[in-house]
């Protein structure tokens, strides 16, 4: 059993909050990939909080390094809630 990185974007037009977007993405992943706790999707992660938007690839990688397996965090852009983390697979 391992881990794989995840990156999901949810349009702010469609959701009132990041938590609502996260729940929707989880449900969508469970519908598509089932309830397997090692399916490599956001459905295997718990939302741990908000981070600042990474300024470049190095900052993005550093943000991922701070997240544990089965966790994800999010940041906001003008148009999206962006969820990154490590899914179980």
């Amino acid at each position: 059993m391992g881990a794989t990185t995840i990156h999901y974007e949810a349009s702010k037009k469609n959701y009132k909050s990041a938590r609502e977007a996260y729940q929707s993405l989880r449900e969508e992943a469970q519908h598509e990939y089932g309830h397997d706790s090692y399916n490599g999707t956001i459905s295997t992660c718990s939302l741990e909080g908000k981070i600042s938007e990474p300024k470049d690839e190095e900052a993005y990688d550093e943000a991922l390094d701070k997240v544990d397996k089965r966790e994800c965090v999010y940041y906001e852009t003008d148009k999206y809630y962006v969820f990154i983390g490590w899914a179980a697979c």
Side-chain angles (χ1 to χ4, degrees):
M1 291 169 240
T4 188
T5 59
I6 59 165
H7 179 109
Y8 290 82
E9 294 178 351
S11 175
K12 287 182 169 181
K13 288 190 237 179
N14 299 332
Y15 303 101
K16 295 177 186 174
S17 68
R19 181 146 312 271
E20 182 182 328
Y22 166 75
Q23 284 300 113
S24 179
L25 291 168
R26 276 183 57 97
E27 290 169 10
E28 201 175 292
Q30 287 175 335
H31 178 73
E32 190 168 336
Y33 297 98
H35 293 271
D36 179 3
S37 58
Y38 294 95
N39 64 27
T41 71
I42 196 170
S43 70
T44 69
C45 300
S46 62
L47 183 60
E48 296 300 315
K50 183 177 181 180
I51 63 170
S52 299
E53 180 179 2
K55 299 191 183 321
D56 55 27
E57 283 295 316
E58 186 176 336
Y60 182 93
D61 290 343
E62 287 174 5
L64 274 175
D65 287 343
K66 294 178 184 176
V67 180
D68 288 332
K69 182 178 173 186
R70 292 185 171 263
E71 293 181 350
C72 71
V73 293
Y74 77 95
Y75 61 88
E76 295 183 43
T77 67
D78 290 339
K79 296 181 181 179
Y80 297 99
Y81 296 111
V82 182
F83 299 89
I84 64 170
W86 294 94
C89 61

